[in-house]
Amino acid sequence: MVRSIVCLAAVLALGGCATLGSAAPTSAGARVLAEWEETGIYWAGSVTGVSDGVIAVAFDDGTFADRRATQVRPLDWAVGSRLACAGVVGEIVAYVPATRALTLQTEEGGKLAFTTGDCTDQRDAPAAST
């Protein structure tokens, strides 16, 4: 029930609802998380085109790359999502998708402002080596 309400809110606010397992977005302009090379680290970006199963992505940090569909998923960041931004790990406490601005509450309790181009998704981040 809660998931349905959250999904309905996403449809009304953003025009769509995505889950982890959703097919890779293939429309030009779609907001995505795409893996950087073969690192397991996902950065925010936009689809710029699709050809022969390869998705061209313009990352928010200004770089461009072609990715397989398995390396691309819908951008689903929201308040509470765990990110690493410019080396700082924390959770989103404010996010404005239209401007790509977000505020991260750090593990130390502080709040810092970033843009999506500064941040990586932490769901699939490789474990830190000790």
Side-chain angles (χ1 to χ4, degrees), residues 14 25 27 30 35-36 41 65 69 74 78 90 99 105 108-109 118 120 124 126 129:
L14 305 173
S27 301
E35 184 178 14
W36 181 249
I41 299 173
T99 63
Q105 181 160 347
E108 293 77 28
D118 298 320
T120 61
D124 300 320
S129 57

Side-chain angles (χ1 to χ4, degrees), residues 96-120:
V96 182
T99 63
R100 301 180 184 171
L102 58 90
T103 302
L104 200 69
Q105 181 160 347
T106 69
E107 293 177 331
E108 293 77 28
K111 292 182 181 176
L112 299 171
F114 295 98
T115 66
T116 55
D118 298 320
C119 303
T120 61

Side-chain angles (χ1 to χ4, degrees), residues 12-36:
L12 295 173
L14 305 173
C17 180
T19 59
L20 276 178
S22 296
T26 57
S27 301
R31 296 290 292 148
V32 297
L33 290 171
E35 184 178 14
W36 181 249

